[in-house]
Amino acid sequence: MDKAVSIYDLIGEEGFQRLIRAFYRQVPDDPVLGPMYPPEDLAGAEQRLRDFLIFRFGGPPRYIEQRGHPRLRMRHFPFAIDRNARNRWVRLMDNALEETALPEPVTEALREFFHDTATFMINRR
């Protein structure tokens, strides 16, 4: 993928909205991830992830303006993220990537980011 062109330039707000909506549609019924997401904050979690990804991949900095530095590990530390939780999160996100059918270079770049970041988030054995 051309490094001068951001993923945001290629898929815009709409692409990230579709991807994150497809991911969170799976969460409530998932036996591993569902309990980690309070039902009353599911829409908030969806917005935070969408805004983070938009910022991270070249779009407007709404996430930073509203929440400051991402501090991903610190923000996720209260949740027991073991290898099983990491794998479930990755599986649901891979499902969302397949459903969304973004351009292949975008899908591959996002998949690599998600897999690496999910591994980084493991905080329990």
Side-chain angles (χ1 to χ4, degrees):
M1 197 164 92
D2 182 354
K3 298 293 184 193
V5 176
S6 74
I7 289 175
Y8 182 82
D9 290 336
L10 295 172
I11 66 171
E13 299 270 336
E14 191 269 339
F16 282 106
Q17 288 172 356
R18 288 188 307 119
L19 175 64
I20 301 311
R21 192 176 314 121
F23 173 80
Y24 277 100
R25 220 179 0 257
Q26 303 170 79
V27 168
D29 296 326
D30 187 83
V32 175
L33 297 185
M36 292 186 193
Y37 289 85
E40 67 276 3
D41 190 40
L42 204 56
E46 183 174 336
Q47 178 183 351
R48 289 187 297 274
L49 179 57
R50 183 179 57 248
D51 286 349
F52 168 72
L53 292 174
I54 286 171
F55 160 71
R56 170 64 179 77
F57 289 102
R62 286 188 301 266
Y63 183 91
I64 299 300
E65 292 168 355
Q66 295 171 6
R67 298 185 53 85
H69 189 282
R71 301 178 299 208
L72 293 178
R73 284 185 57 88
M74 184 202 77
R75 291 185 194 274
H76 288 83
F77 189 77
F79 306 99
I81 303 172
D82 59 12
R83 178 131 329 252
N84 184 46
R86 177 256 182 229
N87 291 345
R88 291 298 294 182
W89 193 95
V90 165
R91 180 180 301 157
L92 297 188
M93 189 55 80
D94 282 346
N95 292 345
L97 284 166
E98 293 302 317
E99 177 184 324
T100 309
L102 300 170
E104 189 59 31
V106 169
T107 295
E108 287 311 309
L110 289 175
R111 188 182 318 276
E112 180 178 347
F113 173 78
F114 292 142
H115 285 227
D116 291 347
T117 303
T119 300
F120 174 72
M121 300 303 288
I122 294 172
N123 59 24
R124 307 285 197 286
R125 291 192 186 265

